[in-house]
């Protein structure tokens, strides 16, 4: 099983979140940096089986401003893991 750790704690802007996700999940250049595209990648592109850990422990007030988006990303990962049992997901917040 492939293990992927994604730490979003230092991200300060939405595009930084998506850039980090794209890098760690090895997403293609044509990844559109939005939640719909992330769903498509999780449910049809990433290599499985995969064990994903996503960490978000904000280190600045700017990072904390992203909390709502990070919670949506966590919900998306949880839904993808429910849909595909070969995806294991854990969030550390």
């Amino acid at each position: 099983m492939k293990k992927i750790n994604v730490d979003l704690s230092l991200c300060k802007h939405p595009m930084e979140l998506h850039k980090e996700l794209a890098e760690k999940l090895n997403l293609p250049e044509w990844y559109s940096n939005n939640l719909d595209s992330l769903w498509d990648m999780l449910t049809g592109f990433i290599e499985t089986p995969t064990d994903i850990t996503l960490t978000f422990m904000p280190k600045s007030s700017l990072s904390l401003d992203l909390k709502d988006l990070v919670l949506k990303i966590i919900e998306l990962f949880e839904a993808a893991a429910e849909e595909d049992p070969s995806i294991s997901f854990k969030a550390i917040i």
Side-chain angles (χ1 to χ4, degrees):
M1 178 178 282
K2 184 177 181 179
K3 292 185 180 262
I4 300 173
N5 294 307
V6 183
D7 188 349
L8 302 176
S9 300
L10 295 176
C11 297
K12 296 176 183 166
H13 306 285
M15 289 306 292
E16 289 178 0
L17 292 175
H18 286 286
K19 182 179 177 186
E20 186 69 16
L21 289 166
E23 181 180 310
K24 297 295 179 162
L25 296 173
N26 199 28
L27 301 181
E29 278 184 25
W30 43 269
Y31 168 62
S32 298
N33 299 309
N34 62 57
L35 295 177
D36 288 334
S37 183
L38 181 58
W39 174 258
D40 292 342
M41 297 293 107
L42 290 175
T43 59
F45 184 84
I46 66 166
E47 179 184 332
T48 58
T50 303
D51 180 18
I52 302 168
T53 301
L54 190 141
T55 304
F56 183 67
M57 301 172 86
K59 305 208 184 324
S60 76
S61 59
L62 283 176
S63 295
L64 190 55
D65 290 342
L66 296 175
K67 186 176 179 182
D68 288 339
L69 179 55
V70 170
L71 291 175
K72 289 178 184 175
I73 290 170
I74 289 170
E75 288 176 6
L76 192 135
F77 273 86
E78 288 172 340
E82 281 182 28
E83 185 170 300
D84 183 347
S86 67
I87 299 173
S88 172
F89 173 70
K90 174 175 67 173
I92 301 170
I93 54 173

